[in-house]
């Protein structure tokens, strides 16, 4: 593992191999694909020498099968029960084929797409991030939707990867006062990589509640960028849960373009075995009176490794910003490792910015109290772990909460 | 109620225990038979809570000598959860707050663990709610406390009532109540003491750790023990507690000094 890290040639060989076997650019994203491939050919694969990737080793990727996965057997709409639009995203087939769109929901036209795609990535400063370029290089489709002013919708997106590479690209435009509850489930059932790039633009007074639940396995990786632009008076509640991935890197990137919006971020990542979970969040306030309420939690067992980096930018224009960030970590093994770091850049003087980080193990007195009531130590530990996670899970939309059978999540001890 | 022929529930012989390198229990002897109520009194720091935690199996305490038998079984080799399941209950001096764990679920899991041990069937959520509502009456506790996290934000007195609620659900044979009276207001003390009396039967026993006569006015002890420097220095009937109330603990120093002299 370390040997390949120090040998730059072998580190990029897999990427060159992968690039060379990609099908020629085609479809609505052909131009994007071309640019992404060029960028990847130039840009080195992130390594621990870069601050942003210091703790997160991407070497797992070189051993993964990265051929584009074959289309899943069932594409398109799954069902659409009262008030919920449920779509299957497999990166290949058209998720909207045969679907009657609910009132207020439209697919972006080609010209709108050309204009909108990449806008929020640029606004949140991540359009050239390596995982984004990887998505650019490979994604052949984008699900690009607009929710009309004052419309309300519940949307469920399901993606299951058997093996190989699954690139997912989303663009969501919420017009004024539109309200979207988005529940997104990503499951890796085999070895491979899931690349997700989501852009969302929230117009004035729009509301987006996004619950992302991603469960993987030891030989699967998830690279996700969630870029969101908020206009004043808009509300964002983004809750993410990752569990089971050999490698999961999540980058929520938010910008409040004129401040005066509210953002709630909730994150939970669980690692065991030799898994790595890394959340790099980035919130920037480009105007006054913005609010952020962020809670990030991690559970690390075995030799697992959890990384959290929470950047918050409060420039001079962002007076009266009120931001709170808390990172809480549960360390279940002395071989696991947790790195957590707030990164506050505060230039404005009239602001409230609180941040904190805690790392603790299961409390002996709490365990003993439960045991003294006849609850065996494993079950007691399970109750305490669940209690720790619950603080994030309870903020998921109900549909997404139901995708978190926390009793069944086993964190490998080895 | 003292019956010399009643079965022995708990037999403690020459128990020594330490926490880290510090020896705290230095030879405790105590025999408890079914139907009896024992009170243990003594100065702050004399080792009362330590004794209770050693009996319950707290991992911070190491037994360095002596034996404890519960109904003939070696209690010290059992895990804390096994001790609870076979009927040993500790009402904590400082009940622990567990944010995020629902009190109702906690009570149900605990009750079912004890029931399984007794060969009784597991109660589902509905059956358990019926039981818990009935048991709440023992301590006149508001059902609203069931929906909160275990002890989280409970007042001192509310925590103590929650302890007795657990006792009422777990139906122990030996209940060790560590300062259950502290933090209770006058009415609550009467209610909690009434609850403890209600739960007492000829088949079980109670060990009350307390500083005050007022609890013993409400729950009449058969024996009163005075603990000092990690052992039981004197044992008497309920009148010993009255004597302590009057004389305080100064005499303890003389007896300890005398004991030290004997050893020297
Ligand atoms: N975990 C511990 N670490 C260090 N010292 C301890 C620990 N637990 C108990 N002790 C010490 O052991 C002694 C006995 O404590 P214990 O809590 O048993 O007293 P107590 O008789 O219950 O007192 P109180 O009446 O104040 O409740 C005290 O000096 C206490 O400081
Ligand atoms: Mg005490």
């Amino acid at each position: 593992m370390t040997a390949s890290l120090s040998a730059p040639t072998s580190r990029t060989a897999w990427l060159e191999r992968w690039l060379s076997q990609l099908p020629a650019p085609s479809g609505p994203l052909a131009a994007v694909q071309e640019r992404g491939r060029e960028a990847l050919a130039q840009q080195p694969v992130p390594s621990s020498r870069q601050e942003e990737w210091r703790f997160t080793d991407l070497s797992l990727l070189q051993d993964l099968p990265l051929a584009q996965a074959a289309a899943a057997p069932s594409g398109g709409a799954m069902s659409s029960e009262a008030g919920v639009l449920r779509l299957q995203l497999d990166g290949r087939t058209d998720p909207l084929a045969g679907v009657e769109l609910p009132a207020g929901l439209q697919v972006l036209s080609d010209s709108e797409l050309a204009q909108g795609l990449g806008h929020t990535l640029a606004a949140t400063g991540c359009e050239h991030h390596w995982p984004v370029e990887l998505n650019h290089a490979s994604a052949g489709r984008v699900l690009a939707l607009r929710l009309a002013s004052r419309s309300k919708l519940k949307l469920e997106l399901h993606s299951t990867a058997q093996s190989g590479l699954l690139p997912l690209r989303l663009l969501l435009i919420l017009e004024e006062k539109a309200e979207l509850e988005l529940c997104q489930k990503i499951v890796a059932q085999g070895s491979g990589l899931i690349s997700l790039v989501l852009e969302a633009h929230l117009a004035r007074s729009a509301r987006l509640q996004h619950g992302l639940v991603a469960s993987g396995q030891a030989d699967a990786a998830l690279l996700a960028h969630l870029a969101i632009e908020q206009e004043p008076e808009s509300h964002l509640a983004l809750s993410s849960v990752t569990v089971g991935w050999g490698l999961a890197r999540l980058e929520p990137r938010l910008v409040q373009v004129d401040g005066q919006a509210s953002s709630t971020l909730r994150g939970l990542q669980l690692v065991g075995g030799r898994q790595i979970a890394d959340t790099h969040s980035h919130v920037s306030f480009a105007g006054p009176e913005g609010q952020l309420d962020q809670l990030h939690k991690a559970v690390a067992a075995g030799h697992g490794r959890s990384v959290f980096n929470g950047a918050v930018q409060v420039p001079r224009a962002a007076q009266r910003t009120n931001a709170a960030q808390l990172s809480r970590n549960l360390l279940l093994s002395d071989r696991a490792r947790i790195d957590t770091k707030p990164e506050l850049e505060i230039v404005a003087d009239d602001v409230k910015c609180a941040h904190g980080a805690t790392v603790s193990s299961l409390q002996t007195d709490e365990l003993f109290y439960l045991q003294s009531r006849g609850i065996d130590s494993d079950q007691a530990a399970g109750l305490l772990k669940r209690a720790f996670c619950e603080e994030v899970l309870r903020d998921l939309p109900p549909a997404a909460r139901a995708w978190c059978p926390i009793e069944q999540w086993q964190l490998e001890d080895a | 109620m003292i019956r010399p022929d009643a079965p022995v529930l708990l037999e403690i012989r020459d128990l020594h225990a330490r926490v880290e390198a510090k020896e705290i229990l230095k030879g405790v002897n105590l025999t408890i038979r079914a139907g009896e109520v024992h009170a243990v009194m003594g100065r702050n720091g004399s080792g009362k809570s330590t004794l209770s935690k050693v009996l319950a199996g707290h991992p911070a305490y190491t037994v360095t000598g002596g034996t404890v038998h519960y109904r003939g079984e070696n209690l010290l080799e059992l895990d804390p959860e096994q001790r609870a399941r076979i009927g040993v209950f500790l009402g904590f001096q400082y009940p622990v707050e567990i944010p995020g764990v629902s009190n109702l679920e906690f009570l149900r899991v605990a009750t079912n663990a004890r029931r399984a041990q007794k060969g009784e069937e597991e109660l589902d959520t509905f059956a358990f709610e019926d039981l818990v509502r009935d048991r709440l009456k023992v301590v006149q506790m508001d059902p609203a406390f069931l929906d909160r996290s275990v002890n989280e934000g409970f007042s001192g007195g509310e925590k103590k009532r929650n302890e007795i609620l657990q006792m009422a659900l777990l139906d122990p044979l030996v209940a060790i109540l560590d300062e259950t009276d502290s933090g209770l207001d006058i009415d609550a003390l009467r209610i909690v003491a009434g609850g403890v009396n209600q739960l007492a039967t000829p088949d079980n026993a109670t060990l009350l750790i307390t500083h005050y006569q007022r609890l013993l006015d409400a729950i009449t002890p058969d024996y009163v023990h005075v603990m000092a420097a990690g052992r039981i220095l004197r044992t008497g009937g309920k009148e010993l507690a009255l004597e302590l109330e009057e004389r305080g603990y100064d005499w303890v120093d003389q007896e300890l000094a005398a004991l030290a002299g004997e050893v020297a």
Side-chain angles (χ1 to χ4, degrees):
Chain A
M1 193 169 85
T2 36
S4 60
L5 244 183
S6 56
T9 43
S10 75
R11 208 181 65 239
T12 52
W14 67 271
L15 184 70
E16 280 155 23
R17 244 190 345 267
W18 176 70
L19 284 169
S20 67
Q21 57 80 53
L22 286 171
S26 66
L29 298 181
V32 179
Q33 288 179 348
E34 210 154 324
R35 283 201 305 275
R37 291 170 195 191
E38 272 165 32
L40 286 186
Q42 313 276 319
Q43 212 176 320
V45 178
S47 82
S48 55
R49 273 163 299 193
Q50 284 158 270
E51 184 59 30
E52 290 286 288
W53 293 90
R54 214 170 108 205
F55 301 112
T56 300
D57 187 352
L58 283 176
S59 57
L60 174 73
L61 296 184
Q62 66 196 359
D63 301 324
L64 298 179
L66 291 182
Q68 199 113 319
S74 68
M78 298 172 70
S79 77
S80 116
E81 67 194 44
V84 184
L85 176 63
R86 197 169 291 155
L87 303 175
Q88 181 101 41
L89 293 189
D90 62 14
R92 281 280 174 106
T93 52
D94 178 4
L96 296 170
V99 177
E100 196 182 322
L101 290 184
L105 189 65
Q106 292 162 324
V107 177
L108 295 192
S109 70
D110 285 353
S111 63
E112 287 170 323
L113 189 60
Q115 213 181 5
L117 203 65
H119 185 275
T120 304
L121 293 177
T124 56
C126 61
E127 76 271 43
H128 297 306
H129 281 190
W130 191 85
V132 172
E133 297 288 20
L134 183 92
N135 185 280
H136 284 161
S138 54
R141 302 198 148 269
V142 54
L143 178 65
L145 300 171
R146 178 176 48 231
L147 189 59
S149 181
R150 291 172 200 273
S151 302
K152 284 188 190 173
L153 180 69
K154 288 186 181 180
L155 178 61
E156 275 183 27
L157 299 175
H158 294 248
S159 302
T160 302
Q162 307 299 336
S163 76
L165 172 69
L166 174 56
L168 300 170
R169 180 100 201 239
L170 290 157
L171 171 60
L172 302 169
I173 311 274
L174 274 64
E175 292 186 341
E176 274 191 33
K177 297 192 177 159
E179 290 183 25
L180 178 63
E181 180 187 294
L182 171 60
C183 292
Q184 186 169 16
K185 184 181 186 184
I186 293 179
V187 181
Q189 289 180 339
S191 178
L193 168 65
I194 297 187
S195 156
L196 169 66
V197 169
L198 174 144
E199 291 177 85
H201 185 276
L202 276 57
R204 187 170 272 275
S205 302
R207 304 179 81 96
L208 172 62
Q209 188 183 15
H210 184 191
L212 172 66
V213 176
S215 61
Q217 45 181 57
D219 56 354
L222 172 72
L223 297 174
H225 269 72
L226 308 166
I228 296 157
E229 245 176 310
Q230 291 187 257
E231 291 195 21
E233 325 264 296
S234 66
H235 293 267
L236 167 74
L238 171 61
S239 302
S240 61
V241 178
T242 65
V243 59
W245 299 88
L247 167 67
R249 165 96 168 194
L250 209 62
E251 300 203 27
R253 314 265 318 178
L254 273 52
V255 60
Q256 294 192 4
V257 291
D258 284 311
Q260 296 171 63
S262 88
S263 313
T264 303
L265 287 179
R266 294 284 178 268
L268 173 65
Q269 59 197 28
L270 300 100
V271 286
R274 302 204 168 255
Q275 299 165 357
I276 305 173
D278 174 351
T279 295
H280 265 67
S281 68
H282 189 279
V283 179
S284 110
F285 295 93
E289 291 162 19
Q291 294 200 20
L292 169 69
D293 169 11
Q294 180 172 22
L295 172 65
H296 188 268
K297 289 192 139 187
V299 180
H303 286 85
R305 171 154 220 186
S306 169
V307 182
F308 171 70
N309 190 92
V312 178
Q313 291 185 336
V314 187
R316 192 169 309 282
Q319 296 296 352
R320 296 176 300 285
T321 293
N322 187 348
Q325 179 190 80
L326 183 60
S327 156
R328 295 194 58 205
N329 302 278
L330 184 59
L331 195 56
L332 294 179
S333 131
D334 50 13
R335 293 150 301 149
R337 183 166 170 167
I338 285 170
D339 292 283
T340 178
K341 183 170 144 219
E343 202 182 293
L344 273 47
E345 273 177 50
I346 303 170
V347 181
D349 43 23
D350 180 17
V351 297
K352 280 195 206 128
C353 287
H355 67 90
T358 63
V359 179
S360 59
S361 47
L362 290 176
Q363 300 294 306
T364 313
D365 279 330
E366 294 183 3
L367 275 173
F368 176 65
Y369 189 70
L370 296 172
Q371 285 176 274
S372 78
R373 299 307 183 236
I375 300 171
D376 72 47
S377 52
D378 284 349
Q379 198 177 6
L383 281 172
L384 295 178
K385 277 183 257 177
R386 202 174 85 197
F388 179 84
C389 297
E390 199 57 49
E391 208 182 344
V392 169
L393 299 182
R394 70 180 178 213
D395 284 348
L396 284 169
R401 173 69 186 83
W403 297 333
C404 299
I406 185 162
E407 297 79 7
Q408 291 163 32
W409 288 344
Q410 302 294 340
L411 302 181
E412 215 183 298
D413 222 14
Chain B
M1 178 206 325
I2 302 177
R3 288 177 296 144
D5 60 333
V8 172
L9 292 181
L10 197 68
E11 174 98 68
I12 305 172
R13 289 228 184 109
D14 197 28
L15 183 63
H16 287 69
R18 62 174 167 79
V19 60
E20 281 152 28
K22 184 176 170 190
E23 183 166 50
I24 298 170
L25 298 186
K26 299 170 185 166
V28 177
N29 288 288
L30 184 61
T31 301
I32 298 178
R33 291 173 186 273
E36 296 175 348
V37 175
H38 291 244
V40 173
M41 305 182 78
R43 279 182 174 151
N44 296 131
S46 56
K48 305 179 297 296
S49 294
T50 302
L51 173 62
S52 72
K53 288 188 186 170
V54 168
L55 293 176
H58 193 292
Y61 301 85
T62 311
V63 173
T64 51
T67 57
V68 179
H69 284 87
Y70 169 75
R71 300 169 86 199
E73 194 176 349
N74 180 356
L75 189 70
L76 298 177
E77 67 184 12
L78 302 179
D79 289 334
E81 57 266 36
Q82 289 171 305
R83 301 181 195 198
R85 288 178 193 169
I86 60 177
V88 177
F89 178 85
L90 170 59
F92 283 58
Q93 180 174 4
Y94 303 107
V96 178
E97 299 195 11
I98 311 185
V101 174
S102 117
N103 202 25
L104 183 65
E105 187 185 5
F106 160 66
L107 295 171
R108 186 169 59 83
V109 173
T111 303
N112 279 329
R114 171 89 172 109
R115 287 177 67 89
Q117 180 73 35
K118 290 196 287 184
E120 296 168 357
E121 90 281 15
E122 186 169 311
L123 297 176
D124 63 23
T125 14
F126 298 107
F128 180 70
E129 284 210 27
D130 290 344
L131 175 68
V132 81
R133 273 173 205 282
D134 180 65
R135 303 278 87 182
L136 279 170
K137 291 182 202 143
V138 173
V139 281
Q140 300 181 22
M141 203 162 125
D142 186 339
F145 286 103
L146 300 174
D147 298 329
R148 292 173 50 180
S149 291
V150 176
N151 294 324
E152 191 188 21
F154 287 27
S155 75
E158 289 161 356
K159 284 180 182 162
K160 296 303 174 76
R161 280 200 207 204
N162 203 30
E163 294 293 286
I164 303 303
L165 172 63
Q166 291 166 47
M167 175 179 163
L169 285 163
L170 296 177
D171 188 24
L173 287 180
V174 173
I176 304 154
L177 304 179
D178 192 356
E179 295 200 27
T180 297
D181 53 336
S182 70
L184 293 176
D185 67 40
I186 296 161
D187 291 337
L189 179 68
R190 193 169 36 74
I191 291 162
V192 164
V196 173
N197 284 328
Q198 200 182 321
L199 297 171
T201 71
D203 297 322
N204 63 25
T206 311
L207 178 66
L208 299 169
I209 295 172
T210 184
H211 287 294
Y212 300 108
Q213 178 59 35
R214 56 176 190 206
L215 180 70
L216 305 180
D217 287 337
I219 308 172
T220 313
D222 299 304
Y223 296 98
V224 173
H225 310 276
V226 178
M227 208 163 165
R231 64 188 111 177
I232 288 173
L233 199 59
R234 194 188 278 189
T235 294
K238 61 176 190 256
E239 61 295 332
L240 177 56
L242 292 166
E243 195 185 324
L244 292 174
E245 189 97 329
E246 226 161 84
R247 287 177 57 195
Y249 289 109
D250 280 349
W251 59 272
V252 164
D253 294 324
Q254 290 150 28
E255 288 202 16
L256 284 177
L259 275 175
E262 269 167 41
V263 174

